[in-house]
Amino acid sequence: MNDAPDSPRAQGILHRVYGYTDFLPLQEEVISHMLSGGDAIAVMPTGGGKSACFQIPAMMRPGVGVVVSPLIALMQDQVSALVQAGARADFLNSSLGLGEERRVRERLLSGETDLLYVAPERLMTPGCLELFSRVSVALIAMDEAHCVSQWGHDFRPEYLRLAELPERFPGVPRMALTATADPFTRKDMKERLGLGQAREFVGDLDRKNIFYQVVVKDRARERLFSFIQDEHPGQSGIVYCMTRKKVDQTAAWLAGKGLPAMGYHAGMDARDRQEAQRRFRHEDGLIMVATVAFGLGIDKPDVRFVAHLDLPHSLEQYYQETGRAGRDGLPATAWTAYSLGDAVAVRTLQDRSQVDEAFRLVQKRRLDSILGYCETSRCRRQVLLEHFGQSLSEPCGNCDVCRDGVRSWDGTVAAQKALSCVYRTGQMFGAAYLTDVLLGNSTERMVRFGHDKVSTFGIGEELDRKGWMSVFRQLVAAGYLKVDLESKAGFSLCEESWPVLRGEKKVPLREDPAPPVRQRRTRTGIGSVASEPHVVLEGPAQELWERLRTWRRETAVEKEVPPYVIFHDRTLKEVAARRPASLLELAEIPGLGEKKLALYGRTLLALVAGEEDV
Ligand code: ADP
Ligand code: ZN
């Protein structure tokens, strides 16, 4: 595709350092653009290979590539991975001791550094600016660049000062990288970073290996537990909850059930938080129960599931969070439990956020889209991608709607009954009370209000309690009912209610699927839609994989790095499946670059050969 003279050199680095033969989509284009000295914005999905887009040109251009990254832990992992692969990388942040920092400076000044990771607040200090004025800067990469936008949910005030970079580093090519597809955030990011002239590279945002599933909340914790037990036993995952209290309770509950779960939220002591992060990255199979505070920049490749016990407030946030699953391309699941309560909470947000008109509209569209996504009868992936301005011509075959189908029914009459019951009872009550009226279950309170005499009393016997709850939930989600959680005033009618009541508008509703009978989901067929074929290991290969994993764990502990910095699962699985007998055969396995081959090649061969002492 690209025949610039630099291309073979970039490819050489890809092979030597990273152990890959071919570029992923857009990598080559972005690299060649950076080599020509242009500015760039790269929007690529999580796991799309963004890092190489700045790392390779930084290694090729004269001078040091400066990488702005929001999290210390993330910097450390990336730098460890680079050093392990034989690249010349360092970081500058508050975790360094004085002596270490001096050595980093010395290496930089003597031209021994190709990549220097810096925290944003550090980069703009006089000391740092002075340091960089003494060396030549090859490029500046701003990772997780959406953090500069107040529209997004990861806003970092320190990122705002990156707007000064063009003035401080005139002529140095800059690039902003993000997986955030939300059009509003993206536009804002571009403006704030002064990247109006930059070339924009937008990748295919589809995460093919992620299975999307939304279940209706009903004994949500038990369902979460069965989901983990049945589909991801012994694997790493993240469970998101809205509040700190729920995080603590859920983590304790899961731990009580024997699962290795930990909690994480901003209310915890900084040291405990760091320790939880460290364990999650370094140990296999842990489950992190967390608020939104957890996750930015987490690049653990083998997170096998992301579960939401509460609904995120935008599809952007949902996509960002679920995107933390399956970065390694192997099958992973995004599992969400959703209820009437979530729909009400989301709708209430909309009414409260009346900051300015433009923001209100954006907010409304966002909230509509997340609720619409939960209630959709279409392929979830199609809905997601369309929201982000891309499309998928055929249903994906790898979401719950594609797999299980959705039965819809004509809910027009039910909707009319529900809405008119809201009206007859004075627009003051919530779903539980209204359902009692519709079912004709008179209570003392109802008699006191005289609602056992209204015309909608007992007219809803065709549905049961769950059925009516589902109707109310869908009416709220679709905007046919107004809610206000703050004033606890219950549901009221809105403009959109009237066409339904007058019979001018049909209301198709979705039948809520029953909880599944417990059984392991068969994964057959998923390999054909996932980006990478799923390596299935059995018998001796499975045993070898376990041996390789044990060795990797021990090596990681020895080197004080996360296991995936030594090798990704995918690489070790390939080793287990192919059983290479020579270094030459080993070199063909993706993820084994020159340095790693030299470091670990013989050990791997010995492990494959079944030698005990390696
Ligand atoms: P992102 O930052 O976009 O989420 P990363 O840079 O962390 O993605 O890369 C995601 C995964 O893809 C990593 O495991 C990385 O080693 C792998 N990868 C990067 N480039 C290639 C390539 N050209 N071929 C195969 N795998 C690659
Ligand atoms: Zn689908």
Side-chain angles (χ1 to χ4, degrees):
M1 178 180 287
N2 195 317
D3 53 9
D6 283 328
S7 206
R9 258 189 80 205
Q11 186 125 22
I13 294 182
L14 182 72
H15 194 232
R16 215 170 49 244
V17 178
Y18 301 82
Y20 299 125
T21 319
D22 301 306
F23 284 109
L24 294 174
L26 286 186
Q27 277 182 330
E28 197 172 14
E29 288 88 333
V30 178
I31 291 169
S32 121
H33 182 71
M34 290 317 288
L35 288 174
S36 72
D39 290 339
I41 294 177
V43 182
M44 287 155 72
T46 312
K50 283 187 286 300
S51 323
C53 293
F54 57 81
Q55 290 169 351
I56 294 180
M59 290 179 223
M60 291 173 69
R61 278 176 74 91
V64 62
V66 176
V67 184
V68 182
S69 172
L71 273 189
I72 289 180
L74 176 67
M75 277 183 214
Q76 287 168 341
D77 283 1
Q78 290 218 352
V79 169
S80 314
L82 282 164
V83 171
Q84 278 286 313
R88 307 190 305 171
D90 269 314
F91 60 79
L92 269 181
N93 63 38
S94 55
S95 76
L96 288 181
L98 275 183
E100 285 168 310
E101 183 165 334
R102 205 180 53 239
R103 280 191 291 281
V104 170
R105 284 167 180 271
E106 280 165 9
R107 280 197 290 271
L108 176 69
L109 291 173
S110 59
E112 292 167 58
T113 315
D114 286 326
L115 277 149
L116 186 61
Y117 283 68
V118 198
E121 60 278 11
R122 170 65 74 102
L123 175 59
M124 304 314 282
T125 57
C128 214
L129 290 170
E130 193 272 332
L131 180 66
F132 285 121
S133 71
R134 290 161 59 191
V135 296
S136 106
V137 177
L139 58 89
I140 301 174
M142 296 168 275
D143 207 2
E144 310 283 0
H146 64 281
C147 288
V148 75
S149 170
Q150 271 142 313
W151 296 92
H153 53 275
D154 286 329
F155 177 55
R156 294 288 174 116
E158 314 88 82
Y159 264 64
L160 289 173
R161 285 200 59 198
L162 299 180
E164 297 167 30
L165 285 175
E167 192 188 318
R168 304 278 187 178
F169 296 89
V172 174
R174 289 174 305 141
M175 68 190 303
L177 301 111
T178 180
T180 293
D182 181 83
F184 311 108
T185 311
R186 231 155 76 193
K187 180 161 173 284
D188 196 35
M189 174 185 96
K190 202 162 155 176
E191 281 163 13
R192 284 178 191 271
L193 294 176
L195 285 172
Q197 304 299 313
R199 185 148 155 216
E200 214 167 332
F201 297 86
V202 182
D204 176 0
L205 295 166
D206 187 8
R207 298 291 312 281
K208 295 183 177 55
N209 58 318
I210 299 183
F211 181 89
Y212 294 98
Q213 179 172 27
V214 179
V215 305
V216 173
K217 236 185 240 182
D218 180 17
R219 299 170 15 103
R221 270 195 330 208
E222 275 84 8
R223 286 193 71 177
L224 172 68
F225 177 72
S226 317
F227 160 72
I228 298 174
Q229 287 285 83
D230 296 349
E231 301 190 24
H232 296 286
Q235 297 181 332
S236 262
I238 306 174
V239 177
Y240 282 109
C241 304
M242 198 62 79
T243 63
R244 296 171 182 183
K245 190 164 151 214
K246 189 156 169 188
V247 164
D248 291 336
Q249 288 170 345
T250 307
W253 188 85
L254 288 173
K257 299 280 257 178
L259 295 183
M262 311 176 280
Y264 186 102
H265 55 68
M268 281 163 53
D269 184 77
R271 202 159 340 125
D272 293 346
R273 261 190 339 224
Q274 243 171 34
E275 175 59 11
Q277 279 232 22
R278 194 197 61 77
R279 284 192 56 202
F280 185 66
R281 289 184 295 120
H282 286 246
E283 295 175 29
D284 279 338
L286 292 189
I287 298 167
M288 185 69 106
V289 185
T291 59
V292 286
F294 178 74
L296 173 66
I298 290 298
D299 65 351
K300 185 174 164 65
D302 56 353
V303 174
R304 293 269 67 88
F305 66 91
V306 169
H308 282 98
L309 276 180
D310 297 300
L311 195 64
H313 291 160
S314 65
L315 265 190
E316 180 217 4
Q317 187 185 345
Y318 171 83
Y319 209 55
Q320 192 91 2
E321 288 170 356
T322 55
R324 289 170 188 144
R327 292 176 80 112
D328 54 8
L330 298 176
T333 312
W335 183 96
T336 305
Y338 157 76
S339 69
L340 173 62
D342 288 300
V344 168
V346 166
R347 282 284 174 230
T348 303
L349 272 181
Q350 173 186 336
D351 287 332
R352 246 184 302 159
S353 66
Q354 285 162 346
V355 205
D356 68 83
E357 189 57 16
F359 187 78
R360 218 183 59 81
L361 277 177
V362 169
Q363 185 75 346
K364 177 167 175 353
R365 277 175 48 194
R366 283 186 169 164
L367 299 174
D368 282 349
S369 62
I370 182 79
L371 293 176
Y373 171 77
C374 288
E375 300 287 3
T376 189
S377 306
R378 299 175 57 212
C379 162
R380 295 208 195 268
R381 197 176 308 271
Q382 284 183 320
V383 175
L384 276 171
L385 290 174
E386 277 166 27
H387 178 75
F388 298 127
Q390 301 193 337
S391 64
L392 188 69
S393 55
E394 294 293 320
C396 75
N398 196 29
C399 72
D400 56 352
V401 177
C402 285
R403 186 190 64 186
D404 308 330
V406 170
R407 304 249 296 265
S408 16
W409 55 291
D410 181 356
T412 311
V413 173
Q416 286 169 340
K417 288 181 179 178
L419 295 176
S420 95
C421 192
V422 169
Y423 186 70
R424 300 279 167 215
T425 53
Q427 314 194 50
M428 305 154 59
F429 297 94
Y433 184 90
L434 293 163
T435 297
D436 277 332
V437 176
L438 285 162
L439 291 175
N441 299 332
S442 71
T443 60
E444 201 190 309
R445 187 157 164 245
M446 203 183 293
V447 173
R448 198 156 13 101
F449 283 113
H451 290 156
D452 55 337
K453 305 278 184 315
V454 296
S455 58
T456 51
F457 182 80
I459 59 164
E461 279 162 2
E462 70 274 28
L463 294 177
D464 60 6
R465 176 164 290 275
K466 259 194 195 156
W468 282 112
M469 286 298 195
S470 168
V471 170
F472 281 113
R473 190 194 72 233
Q474 297 187 58
L475 290 176
V476 170
Y480 291 126
L481 265 180
K482 212 164 125 44
V483 285
D484 186 352
L485 201 63
E486 292 284 274
S487 68
K488 296 207 170 42
F491 297 147
S492 52
L493 299 188
C494 54
E495 219 176 290
E496 287 74 18
S497 318
W498 294 102
V500 176
L501 278 168
R502 289 195 296 259
E504 293 160 12
K505 186 151 195 189
K506 283 213 167 309
V507 183
L509 293 178
R510 194 177 192 271
E511 201 169 283
D512 290 342
V517 187
R518 282 194 63 174
Q519 59 175 216
R520 249 191 96 100
R521 184 163 90 224
T522 57
R523 290 284 190 176
T524 31
I526 289 186
S528 59
V529 286
S531 57
E532 284 292 325
H534 185 191
V535 183
V536 180
L537 299 175
E538 277 165 355
Q542 176 69 24
E543 282 162 31
L544 176 53
W545 154 244
E546 293 300 339
R547 274 210 306 279
L548 291 167
R549 253 171 77 157
T550 309
W551 165 80
R552 177 178 66 177
R553 195 162 49 236
E554 287 162 3
T555 312
V557 170
E558 213 171 279
K559 305 215 166 203
E560 296 181 18
V561 294
Y564 53 84
V565 163
I566 309 286
F567 283 118
H568 282 183
D569 283 2
R570 209 163 82 195
T571 305
L572 286 192
K573 280 191 174 164
E574 289 283 349
V575 172
R578 294 200 214 169
R579 299 190 155 266
S582 66
L583 285 175
L584 218 58
E585 282 175 42
L586 203 55
E588 283 175 11
I589 289 179
L592 262 155
E594 261 174 23
K595 171 91 183 289
K596 290 203 175 167
L597 209 58
L599 267 179
Y600 304 120
R602 301 214 167 274
T603 312
L604 288 179
L605 291 176
L607 281 160
V608 171
E611 290 160 25
E612 286 303 320
D613 289 320
V614 292

